[in-house]
Amino acid sequence: MIRRPPRSTPSNSSAASDVYKRQTLLILQGIMETMGYNVSLASHGLKGIEMANQLLPDLILLDIMLPTMSGWEVCRRLKRDPKTRKIPIIFLTALDQTEDRVLGISLSAHSYITKPFHREELKKAIDEVFSREKSRE
């Protein structure tokens, strides 16, 4: 006997999406920690801006589709703020259209990586950011 799965309702679908996003964050955190980095996670755009101002991280990995405000807006705000403008940003997102990539780079992101991503691709982008930053010192 075969039964169809229940239809997704907005609340049902939203909850599943939240779980998926949280799992993705935890996987990304694990990857970064195995590369030797200390990681702090923000669950939404406003929290990310707040944490960036408090922690002044060496790098920000930023999704575009975030609760409270888009990653585009987070990036704009961070780049306008003299305290955070020099923090390198790598967009890590499911948005894979050319116009999205162009917008990301035009907002002064250092790199734009689409999901699903390969660990080696992420590592290369991070290495490039840090080598670029080191050459400026």
Side-chain angles (χ1 to χ4, degrees), residues 50-113:
E50 177 185 309
M51 288 175 66
N53 275 287
Q54 289 173 352
L55 301 174
L56 296 175
D58 297 317
L59 172 68
I60 295 173
L61 298 178
L62 182 60
D63 200 343
I64 294 167
M65 298 180 289
L66 298 172
T68 69
M69 81 174 53
S70 73
W72 304 126
E73 185 59 25
V74 171
C75 185
R76 281 185 193 99
R77 290 186 186 193
L78 292 172
K79 294 301 181 181
R80 278 195 307 250
D81 185 337
K83 188 175 177 183
T84 58
R85 79 169 32 127
K86 291 188 178 189
I87 300 171
I89 294 174
I90 296 176
F91 279 114
L92 185 61
T93 181
L95 298 180
D96 62 357
Q97 299 298 307
T98 301
E99 54 269 16
D100 297 317
R101 289 176 182 276
V102 170
L103 179 56
I105 301 305
S106 74
L107 291 173
S108 299
H110 284 66
S111 191
Y112 190 102
I113 299 173

Side-chain angles (χ1 to χ4, degrees), residues 16-66:
S17 176
D18 289 346
V19 168
Y20 173 77
K21 288 175 185 174
R22 183 72 184 150
Q23 287 175 336
T24 301
L25 274 176
L26 293 174
I27 290 168
L28 183 58
Q29 180 180 21
I31 289 170
M32 298 303 298
E33 287 174 349
T34 61
M35 289 181 190
Y37 296 105
N38 296 317
V39 178
S40 299
L41 300 175
S43 57
H44 57 82
L46 288 173
K47 183 70 174 172
I49 291 171
E50 177 185 309
M51 288 175 66
N53 275 287
Q54 289 173 352
L55 301 174
L56 296 175
D58 297 317
L59 172 68
I60 295 173
L61 298 178
L62 182 60
D63 200 343
I64 294 167
M65 298 180 289
L66 298 172

